[in-house]
Amino acid sequence: MKHRITGVVLAGGASKRMGRSKAQLPVGDRRMIEWIVRAMDCLFDEIIVVTHHPQSFPMLENVYFVQDAVPVSTRSSLVGLYTGLLHARNETIFVVPCDMPLLNRGLIEYMIGLLDGEDVRVPMTGSHFQPLHAFYRKTCLPHMRRSIDQQQYKVIRFYDEVLVRTVDETSIKTYDPELISFMNVNSEEDYQRVLALWEIMGESWHCDWVQHNPFNQRKEQRHDKHRSTGNVQRKRQNSYF
């Protein structure tokens, strides 16, 4: 059974350094954001994609698209995080950006098992938080909004105001020894590194996430059938907030 947690994917960045949409970058036979959504769909009973351009993602199924709930002059991960948490039907969300495709199932499930009423459960690598690979409760909303209203857009800005529990690096490395699940794509060099890793681990990643999930197995069968017959019409059950 899926956890009553909402998976939130942030896809609202300008991608200035890449010069093109990171969410749409091909990885294997799909787009980067597709792999992230399919991974989320294995664990969570609701998926939200925060984006100003939902029409750019016709390939995504069974997701809710939402736009930033607070108008600001600059793109902000905190605003996207706030928006996803605000619209989530569940009390808790797990958030990732659209350019972090090498998610580790064991690590995320381990973090789920640690949840115990805290406002934030966030990994730490070295002395650094990983705030965009973390769980947040709706109790964070007023603190996030206050930071946004004060134009303090750093995600961890409100951490001192809420109960934060961390996941230490030693525990993380039990599941992800090289910490590649936190690797995101900010440059062409980063993208090429992700592609090289996918060549090595893509099949095992796909097996761990998709083939162990009956719902995704059925979607994979439908995808193969449509691809083989040349039928490009796909059933979509997306909604818009």
Side-chain angles (χ1 to χ4, degrees), residues 46-113:
E46 179 185 52
I47 310 296
I48 289 176
V49 176
V50 184
T51 177
H52 288 284
H53 305 287
Q55 70 278 4
S56 300
F57 304 107
M59 77 293 287
L60 300 183
E61 296 181 324
N62 304 306
V63 304
Y64 294 104
F65 291 109
V66 301
Q67 297 189 24
D68 285 347
V70 183
V72 294
S73 58
T74 182
R75 298 287 177 87
S76 165
S77 295
L78 178 59
V79 173
L81 172 57
Y82 173 82
T83 300
L85 185 56
L86 180 68
H87 285 295
R89 291 197 298 256
N90 296 308
E91 175 69 17
T92 301
I93 70 168
F94 175 73
V95 65
V96 293
C98 66
D99 63 346
M100 192 181 283
L102 301 176
L103 299 175
N104 184 291
R105 181 170 189 152
L107 174 58
I108 296 172
E109 289 183 324
Y110 172 71
M111 292 177 65
I112 292 171

Side-chain angles (χ1 to χ4, degrees), residues 118-171:
E118 63 272 50
D119 301 303
V120 179
R121 174 67 70 167
V122 59
M124 292 198 73
T125 53
S127 59
H128 301 287
F129 291 114
Q130 296 289 342
L132 296 185
H133 186 292
F135 291 87
Y136 297 86
R137 290 181 65 211
K138 283 186 177 287
T139 47
C140 295
L141 283 170
H143 306 282
M144 292 178 177
R145 183 57 191 257
R146 184 159 46 249
S147 291
I148 293 168
D149 290 343
Q150 295 172 352
Q151 299 184 353
Q152 300 290 328
Y153 298 128
K154 191 172 184 179
V155 172
I156 65 172
R157 170 68 175 77
F158 72 95
Y159 275 19
D160 288 341
E161 303 171 11
V162 297
L163 176 58
V164 177
R165 293 190 177 121
T166 61
V167 185
D168 65 272
E169 186 171 321
T170 299
S171 297

